[in-house]
Amino acid sequence: MNAYLPTSKSKRLNVLGFLNKNNDLFSYVFDSSITSEVAVACFQDFVETVTKTTVIVIDNAPIHRSELFTEKIKEWEKQNVFLLYLPPYSPEFNKIEILWKHIKYYWLSFDTYDSFQNLQENLNHVLSKVGLEYRINFA
């Protein structure tokens, strides 16, 4: 006996985040695409919280290489925030990718995906508890 579930196009949640080695997470959740404009706004918001020299490790996503984004790099460097681009196709070096994997496959239960509202609530709960209830040991 085969069981089939109908497919449908559903809303998505996208998360942009900053994670340090102490598991402190600064996250931004969107139910729309993360464009260069959105990424710049999130980076700018994060940069304003920085109190010491900081290096942000990022991948080579198109939004990180856009003209709008790269125009802001010098400004962020004046605020002691520097970007370190990972080599292409190396998600294993990107700690935030490891976090996303843990959230999606280990920390959110299967029934989280029953509804969009349930997904939002559970995702926001997990994101708020990263570093407290949910930790990744990067040692």
Side-chain angles (χ1 to χ4, degrees), residues 61-119:
I63 60 172
H64 298 150
R65 293 290 190 177
S66 72
E67 184 178 339
L68 179 67
F69 190 89
T70 56
E71 286 174 351
K72 297 291 284 183
I73 293 174
K74 292 290 184 202
E75 181 182 323
W76 295 330
E77 288 176 349
K78 290 178 184 171
Q79 295 172 275
N80 290 321
V81 174
F82 301 89
L83 302 183
L84 174 63
Y85 284 91
L86 290 171
Y89 310 109
S90 57
E92 68 278 7
F93 296 138
N94 192 341
K95 292 180 180 184
I96 201 89
E97 292 296 341
I98 296 166
L99 174 70
W100 301 147
K101 178 181 176 182
H102 276 77
I103 290 172
K104 287 171 68 173
Y105 299 110
Y106 304 115
W107 298 340
L108 291 176
S109 63
F110 189 71
D111 62 354
T112 293
Y113 301 94
D114 287 345
S115 72
F116 187 73
Q117 180 179 349
N118 199 31
L119 176 60

Side-chain angles (χ1 to χ4, degrees), residues 4-138:
Y4 296 95
L5 295 174
T7 61
S8 64
K9 188 106 172 146
S10 61
K11 290 189 196 177
R12 297 178 56 125
L13 288 177
N14 292 299
V15 182
L16 188 150
F18 301 87
L19 177 69
N20 68 21
K21 62 184 175 184
N22 297 321
N23 280 267
D24 298 321
L25 176 66
F26 300 85
S27 62
Y28 304 85
V29 180
F30 302 93
D31 61 2
S32 60
S33 296
I34 298 178
T35 63
S36 294
E37 292 82 2
V38 170
V40 166
C42 293
F43 268 74
Q44 188 60 45
D45 185 62
F46 177 75
V47 165
E48 291 173 11
T49 70
V50 171
T51 59
K52 60 183 179 181
T53 301
T54 300
V55 176
I56 300 174
V57 177
I58 61 174
D59 60 21
N60 288 279
I63 60 172
H64 298 150
R65 293 290 190 177
S66 72
E67 184 178 339
L68 179 67
F69 190 89
T70 56
E71 286 174 351
K72 297 291 284 183
I73 293 174
K74 292 290 184 202
E75 181 182 323
W76 295 330
E77 288 176 349
K78 290 178 184 171
Q79 295 172 275
N80 290 321
V81 174
F82 301 89
L83 302 183
L84 174 63
Y85 284 91
L86 290 171
Y89 310 109
S90 57
E92 68 278 7
F93 296 138
N94 192 341
K95 292 180 180 184
I96 201 89
E97 292 296 341
I98 296 166
L99 174 70
W100 301 147
K101 178 181 176 182
H102 276 77
I103 290 172
K104 287 171 68 173
Y105 299 110
Y106 304 115
W107 298 340
L108 291 176
S109 63
F110 189 71
D111 62 354
T112 293
Y113 301 94
D114 287 345
S115 72
F116 187 73
Q117 180 179 349
N118 199 31
L119 176 60
Q120 282 181 304
E121 291 170 2
N122 284 280
L123 176 61
N124 287 328
H125 171 77
V126 169
L127 291 173
S128 72
K129 300 295 183 180
V130 170
L132 304 170
E133 285 181 37
Y134 303 101
R135 296 186 64 79
I136 298 175
N137 183 359
F138 292 114

